[in-house]
Amino acid sequence: MSRRMSPETRTVAWLVGVVVTMGALAWAAVPFYDWFCRVTGYGGTTQVSQAAPDQVLDQVIRVRFDANVEPSLEWTFRPMQTSMELKIGENGLALYEAVNTSDVPITGTASYNVAPDIAGYYFSKIECFCFTEQTLQPGERIEMPVSFFVDPELVKDRDASWIRDITLSYTFHRTEPKQASLDAAPADNVN
């Protein structure tokens, strides 16, 4: 003898399934979107490389530098150069300066993008202060490097080959230092 579910039970089971599926999709959306942006350069997301390419073209590109801080971060933050011209494929090194203007240590993390958006697929960073959080002591001033290149494949892309000006923009956000949670844990007293 088989038991059939009542229509109300089937409806509840279906709704629970929909809620679970929506929750799983929402949970997966952020890592998937992050992966998608890194792979495609969508939204001006830059690439990460180990080294500059061997090929350097005889075509010049200008990179402009921009710096911002969120209002709750008591830092001054600026590029130490407003722009730089380099050959496509050539390794560039730019410096940014940050100063903690408060009387307490502050940790910040930089988000970044490039404009025009499509250039993100061809703009690669080798080293960047944006890869890790930065903690500045009261009044501390630091210079932070970003080593980068523009991939020569840019000139082969019919949608991006016209680009000869790229803006690299950073925004520093206040964050809680990752080490703080470890420091706050009580030490085991062994006698």
Side-chain angles (χ1 to χ4, degrees):
M1 176 167 128
S2 68
R3 291 186 55 191
R4 299 188 87 180
M5 286 197 282
S6 70
E8 293 85 11
T9 305
R10 279 195 307 259
T11 301
V12 168
W14 184 81
L15 289 173
V16 167
V18 167
V19 168
V20 169
T21 301
M22 289 175 65
L25 290 173
W27 175 81
V30 171
F32 178 75
Y33 183 74
D34 181 56
W35 169 82
F36 175 78
C37 290
R38 280 185 282 117
V39 169
T40 65
Y42 180 76
T45 302
T46 62
Q47 308 302 306
V48 177
S49 295
Q50 297 298 314
D54 294 330
Q55 180 186 22
V56 176
L57 304 180
D58 199 28
Q59 297 180 43
V60 174
I61 195 157
R62 179 180 17 199
V63 179
R64 294 185 175 127
F65 303 98
D66 179 52
N68 304 284
V69 291
E70 73 175 8
S72 69
L73 185 65
E74 296 176 72
W75 285 7
T76 58
F77 175 55
R78 68 177 186 89
M80 297 186 71
Q81 61 287 302
T82 56
S83 67
M84 174 185 299
E85 289 188 356
L86 64 157
K87 293 182 178 179
I88 295 176
E90 179 182 7
N91 189 33
L93 180 66
L95 294 173
Y96 280 77
E97 175 189 64
V99 179
N100 180 348
T101 58
S102 77
D103 58 357
V104 296
I106 297 178
T107 299
T109 303
S111 61
Y112 54 87
N113 71 336
V114 297
D117 289 350
I118 194 169
Y121 188 74
Y122 299 101
F123 194 96
S124 291
K125 295 179 187 173
I126 299 168
E127 181 184 334
C128 184
F129 59 89
C130 60
F131 295 160
T132 59
E133 63 185 22
Q134 307 294 322
T135 300
L136 299 182
Q137 298 304 314
E140 183 178 6
R141 176 196 169 274
I142 60 170
E143 292 181 5
M144 301 174 293
V146 56
S147 175
F148 65 92
F149 66 90
V150 177
D151 192 321
E153 292 296 312
L154 171 97
V155 300
K156 297 178 185 176
D157 184 329
R158 68 184 179 108
D159 294 326
S161 61
W162 58 270
I163 297 172
R164 290 302 176 268
D165 286 290
I166 296 175
T167 300
L168 174 60
S169 182
Y170 289 99
T171 301
F172 253 105
H173 307 273
R174 187 179 200 130
T175 56
E176 291 301 317
K178 292 178 182 163
Q179 188 64 32
S181 60
L182 297 175
D183 293 340
D188 291 333
N189 290 333
V190 180
N191 292 332

